[in-house]
Amino acid sequence: MKSNKYKIITLIFAFCSYYSNAQQLQQKDSLKNTKTENLKFKYKQLIIPTVLMAYGIIGIESDGLKFINSGIKEEVNENIDNKITIDDFSQYAPALSVYALNLGGIKGKNNLRDRSIILGTSYLLMGTSVYALKNITKIERPDHSGFNSFPSGHTATAFAGAEFLWQEYKDVSIWYGISGYLVATGTGIFRIYNDKHWLTDVAMGAGIGILSTKIAYWIFPYIDNHIFKSKKNINSAMVAPFYNGNQIGLGMVINLK
């Protein structure tokens, strides 16, 4: 079964490498455009999230992909004794990094108000999609702890944040964006490592997360002009994860001028 383990690790890191290269090519193109043009819908940006989501959806019924899922589960159960719960926190790291970098004096694409609206929109889209699919599919988790395995919410949150970090700081340095995707990929791996999700769950979650943030940027001009008409500026904001013993989430406190 070791071959299955190596195949999945290779597959995940191959995706991360491919996505980084694809994003670098998009960055070169974007340097020719204005900030407003960067927010426009582009069909080629749908390729990677669509492929990931298609893999996850096909895996619900595909015997071949189910076999891969089962092989990974057996490998996890045979060789892993201690669970590592870092994924409960790493899922928020990419998004929080945007605010940390800004506080450190490294300015991103948007101001505090605009990027907070974009992140909130992304999380709303992502959270709604994940919640709906979990209740519709009712797929059992690998560790038999529940019937809400598909898709991985932790992975979706991590990849939504990674795309958020990429969009805000790709013009400053592509390494900020790449590091965010490495953390997001690691989060997905740990969800499998901890026997909480199948590979198909993680793939679907990654696709949803990426797509949710892309949509949030595409529709931001409309939201800004039609929903957030107030000209108030955000004076300060604090974003932090929370844990109440049963649930984990991300909280935000915003002060307006």
Side-chain angles (χ1 to χ4, degrees), residues 51-122:
V51 169
L52 288 168
M53 294 169 66
Y55 182 90
I57 293 172
I58 293 171
I60 294 177
E61 297 295 338
S62 170
D63 292 335
L65 297 185
K66 286 181 180 179
F67 179 78
I68 295 176
N69 282 344
S70 298
I72 296 170
K73 173 180 169 55
E74 290 180 14
E75 185 69 27
V76 168
N77 291 340
E78 289 176 3
N79 298 285
I80 298 175
D81 296 324
N82 299 318
K83 306 300 181 183
I84 302 175
T85 59
I86 190 174
D87 45 304
D88 287 339
F89 305 98
S90 65
Q91 61 177 318
Y92 300 115
L96 290 174
S97 295
V98 173
Y99 292 91
L101 286 168
N102 196 262
L103 287 174
I106 304 175
K107 303 299 181 182
K109 177 185 292 184
N110 293 288
N111 59 36
L112 183 59
R113 171 189 178 274
D114 292 353
R115 68 171 176 267
S116 297
I117 293 173
I118 291 169
L119 181 61
T121 303
S122 172

Side-chain angles (χ1 to χ4, degrees), residues 39 110 113-115 117-118 121 215-225 228:
L39 297 175
N110 293 288
R113 171 189 178 274
D114 292 353
R115 68 171 176 267
I117 293 173
I118 291 169
T121 303
I215 292 174
Y217 275 94
W218 293 333
I219 66 176
F220 170 70
Y222 177 86
I223 293 176
D224 190 38
N225 292 330
F228 292 93

Side-chain angles (χ1 to χ4, degrees), residues 15-172:
F15 154 72
C16 188
S17 176
Y18 172 77
Y19 192 87
S20 297
N21 290 332
Q23 292 285 40
Q24 288 181 48
L25 292 175
Q26 291 181 14
Q27 182 197 27
K28 291 179 181 179
D29 293 338
S30 68
L31 291 176
K32 302 176 183 179
N33 301 324
T34 64
K35 176 179 174 181
T36 301
E37 290 173 336
N38 287 339
L39 297 175
K40 288 185 177 180
F41 172 79
K42 298 177 181 178
Y43 287 103
K44 65 181 181 180
Q45 295 180 359
L46 292 174
I47 296 174
I48 293 175
T50 299
V51 169
L52 288 168
M53 294 169 66
Y55 182 90
I57 293 172
I58 293 171
I60 294 177
E61 297 295 338
S62 170
D63 292 335
L65 297 185
K66 286 181 180 179
F67 179 78
I68 295 176
N69 282 344
S70 298
I72 296 170
K73 173 180 169 55
E74 290 180 14
E75 185 69 27
V76 168
N77 291 340
E78 289 176 3
N79 298 285
I80 298 175
D81 296 324
N82 299 318
K83 306 300 181 183
I84 302 175
T85 59
I86 190 174
D87 45 304
D88 287 339
F89 305 98
S90 65
Q91 61 177 318
Y92 300 115
L96 290 174
S97 295
V98 173
Y99 292 91
L101 286 168
N102 196 262
L103 287 174
I106 304 175
K107 303 299 181 182
K109 177 185 292 184
N110 293 288
N111 59 36
L112 183 59
R113 171 189 178 274
D114 292 353
R115 68 171 176 267
S116 297
I117 293 173
I118 291 169
L119 181 61
T121 303
S122 172
Y123 276 1
L124 178 62
L125 294 170
M126 179 269 298
T128 301
S129 301
V130 169
Y131 179 80
L133 287 170
K134 282 181 179 292
N135 283 277
I136 292 171
T137 57
K138 298 185 183 299
I139 295 176
E140 188 175 17
R141 291 181 182 270
D143 64 354
H144 309 295
S145 62
F147 288 86
N148 59 346
S149 187
F150 184 87
S152 169
H154 283 65
T155 307
T157 300
F159 275 87
E163 179 66 18
F164 178 56
L165 177 59
W166 172 266
Q167 292 294 337
E168 289 297 313
Y169 283 96
K170 65 181 179 180
D171 295 330
V172 177

